[in-house]
Amino acid sequence: MQTFTYSRARSINELRAVQAATGDRILAGGTTLYDLMKLRIETPDRLVDVTGIAGLDEIISHPDELVFGALVTMSDAAAHPAVLQRAPVLAEALSKAASQQLRNMATLGGNLLQRTRCAYFRNGTEYPCNKRTPGSGCAALEGLDRGHALFGGSGSCIAVYPGDWAVALVALDAVVDVRGSRGTHTIDVASLHRLPGDTPHVETVLEPDEMILNIRVPVGRLAQASTYHKIRDRESYAFALVSAAVALELEEGFVRQARIALGGVATRPWRVPAAEAGLTGRRLDRATALEVGRMTFADARPGRHNGFKIALGAEAVADALMIAAQRSENR
Ligand SMILES: Cc1cc2nc3c(=O)[nH]c(=O)nc-3n(C[C@H](O)[C@H](O)[C@H](O)COP(=O)(O)OP(=O)(O)OC[C@H]3O[C@@H](n4cnc5c(N)ncnc54)[C@H](O)[C@@H]3O)c2cc1C
Ligand code: SF4
């Protein structure tokens, strides 16, 4: 790791002043950033620790919205009674991510901005990787693509967005409030991450000096009957092979509204409006759930080693729909 300077900001204004003067990089829990610095993928020479900024470590439960400060830890959010009761998909996405030790350190804002786990990206400079070194090529296109994307890939990059929390947020139409030199503004979480196109190293729509302050999630009947179903190589401490964030509103057994988002299979959190529309107005049973699960993957573009995720993903979506339907009936 190269040497770097470390400072702490105690308020947003102090952070703004530091960034305007020196362009320091934001450090939250450090569980991603330090990792990437050790791998020499990220080489910032100035870090500003934002974990002391007051007021961003709270969860507020409003009648129609949950507001999460960006510095809330993953473990605090996963265990919060209002989150468990009003939006279980969020609590489950967080509690099924990483390990307890990591969740105790890692923040909700930092989680959104984690980078891909593509082994070619992370494992040294011997492989071409457009995300790591723009213009160098993509080793995964002709290499091992078992963990790579079925949706949203390009001829420059097929790396999966690895996080769980963002997938659940996209299912619930969440937004983030952001502050930087452009002032304060709000971004849909669904628009936060960019498709790779021919610039896969540019991963989000944030400017380098912008900080996520809050994550706001609309909650109502739909969010209450929700779940996050994550399939992985082992039952804990592993990224998703495929995951499904699902929310349902049923009326007398018929689907009034549905939300389906996928993780582990796309270059960014992946909402599937066609499958949601295909489910609306129908009575939900296991056969319909599986049909919709297959519909969810209708546009998948598998490579050489990741085609198995299509059948696996269809089953995961079907299972998630049945869990959400049960929750809707028990409400
Ligand atoms: C072994 C391992 C397993 C993991 N497994 C999973 C998993 O299964 N599922 C999953 O979802 N995640 C997983 N993770 C990722 C983990 O959840 C993230 O590392 C963590 O959430 C990042 O949060 P942080 O606060 O530590 O971020 P940091 O490392 O501090 O920062 C990460 C990035 O975000 C930027 N940043 C941080 N906060 C803000 C903010 N508020 N505004 C703007 N920029 C900001 C930083 O500059 C940096 O670029 C795993 C990580 C590890 C190391
Ligand atoms: S898939 Fe993306 S991250 Fe992986 S090697 Fe190709 S360009 Fe790099």
Side-chain angles (χ1 to χ4, degrees):
M1 197 192 287
Q2 69 174 53
T3 55
F4 58 91
T5 65
Y6 168 94
S7 64
R8 290 178 72 93
R10 283 158 301 177
S11 68
I12 296 291
N13 287 343
E14 212 173 281
L15 171 68
R16 295 289 317 122
V18 166
Q19 284 191 314
T22 59
D24 283 25
R25 181 71 177 276
I26 288 173
L27 174 73
T31 62
T32 278
L33 189 51
Y34 284 143
D35 237 13
L36 294 170
M37 288 169 71
K38 286 185 213 158
L39 293 168
R40 301 192 67 78
I41 294 171
E42 304 254 12
T43 53
D45 48 23
R46 305 182 70 92
L47 297 182
V48 55
D49 184 338
V50 294
T51 53
I53 296 180
L56 297 182
D57 58 353
E58 291 168 11
I59 299 173
I60 303 171
S61 180
H62 294 297
D64 56 356
E65 188 178 65
L66 289 172
V67 182
F68 299 84
L71 299 177
V72 172
T73 63
M74 292 171 71
S75 50
D76 282 351
H80 194 284
V83 183
L84 285 162
Q85 195 208 333
R86 304 186 69 196
V89 64
L90 301 180
E92 290 170 3
L94 291 166
S95 62
K96 291 178 181 179
S99 65
Q100 186 65 48
Q101 291 91 335
L102 284 160
R103 293 192 295 269
N104 289 344
M105 287 295 294
T107 64
L108 299 180
N111 185 280
L112 289 176
L113 301 178
Q114 63 182 287
R115 305 191 69 187
T116 187
R117 311 303 286 194
C118 171
Y120 299 111
F121 169 73
R122 291 177 66 84
N123 287 347
T125 48
E126 66 258 42
Y127 299 106
C129 173
N130 287 321
K131 198 182 269 298
R132 185 169 174 150
T133 312
S136 62
C138 170
L141 287 172
E142 298 298 324
L144 290 172
D145 61 5
R146 178 177 184 271
H148 288 74
L150 303 171
F151 301 99
S154 70
S156 297
C157 180
I158 53 171
V160 154
Y161 172 78
D164 296 298
W165 162 240
V167 177
L169 292 174
V170 163
L172 297 186
D173 292 322
V175 299
V176 287
D177 297 321
V178 165
R179 182 159 329 155
S181 51
R182 293 189 291 179
T184 304
H185 59 113
T186 298
I187 304 170
D188 293 339
V189 178
S191 312
L192 179 65
H193 300 93
R194 292 162 43 110
L195 290 170
D198 54 9
T199 53
H201 58 291
V202 187
E203 293 174 347
T204 73
V205 299
L206 294 181
E207 294 294 326
D209 72 345
E210 286 183 325
M211 176 169 177
I212 297 173
L213 303 181
N214 296 302
I215 299 123
R216 292 189 284 118
V217 189
V219 284
R221 290 182 63 192
L222 193 68
Q224 262 178 28
S226 66
T227 190
Y228 189 76
H229 194 43
K230 178 173 175 180
I231 312 294
R232 39 199 159 161
D233 280 325
R234 53 175 189 263
E235 258 309 295
S236 81
Y237 200 21
F239 287 91
L241 281 173
V242 54
S243 66
V246 160
L248 280 181
E249 190 180 332
L250 296 186
E251 204 163 87
E252 294 175 4
F254 289 87
V255 177
R256 276 197 66 195
Q257 284 194 75
R259 299 278 190 277
I260 302 173
L262 301 174
V265 290
T267 52
R268 66 181 187 188
W270 200 255
R271 188 86 175 256
V272 196
E276 294 171 2
L279 184 56
T280 305
R282 297 180 68 180
R283 183 177 281 285
L284 187 60
D285 56 19
R286 175 75 203 178
T288 307
L290 192 53
E291 183 192 326
V292 171
R294 291 188 179 125
M295 203 187 289
T296 307
F297 284 83
D299 296 330
R301 293 181 59 192
R304 284 172 301 158
H305 311 109
N306 58 358
F308 74 98
K309 290 188 184 184
I310 294 176
L312 189 65
E315 293 280 351
V317 170
D319 288 349
L321 287 170
M322 298 312 290
I323 294 166
Q326 188 74 47
R327 286 182 181 168
S328 180
E329 278 164 18
N330 294 345
R331 238 190 6 239

